[in-house]
């Protein structure tokens, strides 16, 4: 199963890599799943659902850049591990860029007037843990072949405005859902603060990601 499969391109690659498998893509967005229909074929299906409430038993639970949208990772990872068949594997990648200046400025701005009132006090803190935490959780589950590491993927962006554009598709999404007609004002204020924080051009954007895998004995 591919948790948070989105439009299914990576799920298709999983199915092609494991040609004798029955692969399911799971996502909570009907819009994304409508696009995923274009890659559906024998042995590859897509379902609407909540990744944090995964049902069934699986030989491989895979997720790329999706688990960060579910809360309480100590409980979540333990729950997903419990859905593995004997000998099954968990393989996950989650962004861990929540302490980058762009994310910190988003949280700071959300807590300031007038946006704190517009957002009704909403500020999102990433549930992503440290690599030590994920390793410990997997060990406590009784997992074998535990591999956990953090990697920086370097991106060179034109300027600080390009950084804001980048986070508009990630960290800013839950704020956009709540800002309504004030989205433009929030973006303008964020761009101004980002220009002060990251002046010059180009801008080096170090994107941190955590990758971990483990196997259930059996």
């Amino acid at each position: 199963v591919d948790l948070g499969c989105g439009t299914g391109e990576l799920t298709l690659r999983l199915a092609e890599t494991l040609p004798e498998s029955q692969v399911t893509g799971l996502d909570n967005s009907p819009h994304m799943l409508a696009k995923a229909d274009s890659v559906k074929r024998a042995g590859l299906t897509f379902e609407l659902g909540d990744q944090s409430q995964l049902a069934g038993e699986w030989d491989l639970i895979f997720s790329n850049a999706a688990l960060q949208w579910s809360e309480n990772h100590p409980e979540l990872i333990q729950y997903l591990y419990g859905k593995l068949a004997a000998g099954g594997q968990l393989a996950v990648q989650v962004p861990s860029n929540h302490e980058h200046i762009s994310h910190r400025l988003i949280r700071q701005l959300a807590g300031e007037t007038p946006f704190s009132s517009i957002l009704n006090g909403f500020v999102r803190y990433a549930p992503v843990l440290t690599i030590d935490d994920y390793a410990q959780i997997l060990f406590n589950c009784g997992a074998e072949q535990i591999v956990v590491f953090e990697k920086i993927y370097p991106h060179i962006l034109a300027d600080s405005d390009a950084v804001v554009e980048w986070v508009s598709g990630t960290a800013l999404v839950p704020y956009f859902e709540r800002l309504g007609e004030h989205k433009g004002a929030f973006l303008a204020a964020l761009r101004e603060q980002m220009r002060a924080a990251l002046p010059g051009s180009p801008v080096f954007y170090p994107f941190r990601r955590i990758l971990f895998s483990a196997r259930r004995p059996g």
Side-chain angles (χ1 to χ4, degrees), residues 38-208:
S38 64
V39 300
K40 189 185 298 184
R41 60 169 178 74
L44 174 58
T45 58
F46 295 92
E47 295 179 5
L48 182 68
D50 183 343
Q51 61 189 10
S52 68
Q53 298 180 29
L54 178 68
E57 185 177 81
W58 304 89
D59 296 314
L60 172 62
I61 298 175
F62 175 90
S63 184
N64 181 64
L67 291 191
Q68 73 275 12
W69 298 117
S70 292
E71 304 299 325
N72 195 344
H73 277 207
E75 182 178 294
L76 175 67
I77 302 306
Q78 182 178 357
Y79 176 80
L80 294 177
Y81 181 86
K83 297 300 178 182
L84 289 173
Q89 187 177 19
L90 180 67
V92 172
Q93 182 269 115
V94 286
S96 55
N97 228 34
H98 44 279
E99 288 307 316
H100 185 265
I101 184 63
S102 57
H103 291 243
R104 287 190 280 120
L105 285 177
I106 290 169
R107 295 193 296 267
Q108 178 182 309
L109 192 59
E112 296 175 352
T113 305
F115 300 113
S116 58
S117 297
I118 295 167
L119 292 164
N120 292 317
F122 172 81
V123 178
R124 187 172 196 271
Y125 294 89
V128 175
L129 307 174
T130 67
I131 55 175
D132 305 68
D133 290 332
Y134 287 117
Q136 185 68 54
I137 292 166
L138 292 167
F139 174 79
N140 292 346
C141 287
E144 298 178 341
Q145 300 177 30
I146 298 170
V147 177
V148 186
F149 63 96
E150 187 172 47
K151 180 177 178 179
I152 288 179
Y153 292 80
H155 296 279
I156 310 301
L157 302 180
D159 50 27
S160 63
D161 283 2
V163 177
V164 174
E165 181 66 24
W166 182 286
V167 298
S168 291
T170 54
L172 281 171
V173 170
Y175 295 92
F176 288 165
E177 292 171 350
R178 294 166 172 81
L179 283 166
E181 63 183 15
H182 303 283
K183 172 184 172 181
F186 190 91
L187 275 174
L190 180 61
R191 287 192 189 100
E192 182 179 352
Q193 293 190 9
M194 283 292 295
R195 287 167 187 160
L198 295 175
S201 176
V203 170
F204 177 69
Y205 185 66
F207 200 115
R208 290 178 178 267

